[in-house]
Amino acid sequence: FSLECLGWRRHGPFLAGEYARVLVGRGTGDCQVAMLKSLVAVAWADGQLHGEESDIIDGLLAVYEIAGKDAETIRAFAKTKRTLDDVPLTELSIDDRRQLLQHAILVTYADGQQTAAETAVIDALIKKLRLEAEDAQKIREATDARAKRLTKLL
């Protein structure tokens, strides 16, 4: 068993494994795939899939124990620019939608800062997830603060 296989290595201003550890929660199967594909779309918000963002996705594939054909399908999905319209989110439970918002916000900080384009994608994601405004705002504030603390670790 190696921590490297879980993405516990340093990349840029972030620890990919630390993000993977923070992001992992409940959910299995189709829910996890929908979340990972959604995170791919968020990662493409600024028009590029940065190495740090890709490392987080790879780390989550390992942590969720998604391998083989399923992992390759997600990696292939990530090679092309994606938007939130490319992923089905309507079948996620309310808890999964809250968790996805947290994940997405953390991914936007993967390269050290959240851009205006990434902020706009988070706004669109909140609408698409049909979260209550007050609930979404609390999640956003807490997750923004966590992401900013993580950037100061290095």
Side-chain angles (χ1 to χ4, degrees), residues 5 36-37 40 44 49 54-55 57-62 66-80 82:
C5 74
L36 284 167
K37 286 185 173 183
V40 167
W44 274 101
L49 182 67
S54 183
D55 288 340
I57 292 165
D58 282 340
L60 286 170
L61 286 169
I66 298 173
K69 184 179 177 185
D70 292 334
E72 289 309 313
T73 299
I74 291 172
R75 286 186 185 105
F77 180 83
K79 288 181 181 179
T80 305
R82 301 295 178 172

Side-chain angles (χ1 to χ4, degrees), residues 8-9 13 22 31 36 47 49-50 52 56 60 64 70 77-80 83 89 94 102 110 116 136 138 140 147-148:
W8 290 85
R9 57 192 186 275
V22 170
C31 174
L36 284 167
L49 182 67
H50 298 279
E52 296 90 346
I56 290 170
L60 286 170
Y64 282 138
D70 292 334
F77 180 83
K79 288 181 181 179
T80 305
T83 69
L89 301 175
I94 186 66
Q102 291 172 344
K138 286 179 184 178
R140 191 175 208 164
K148 289 173 184 174

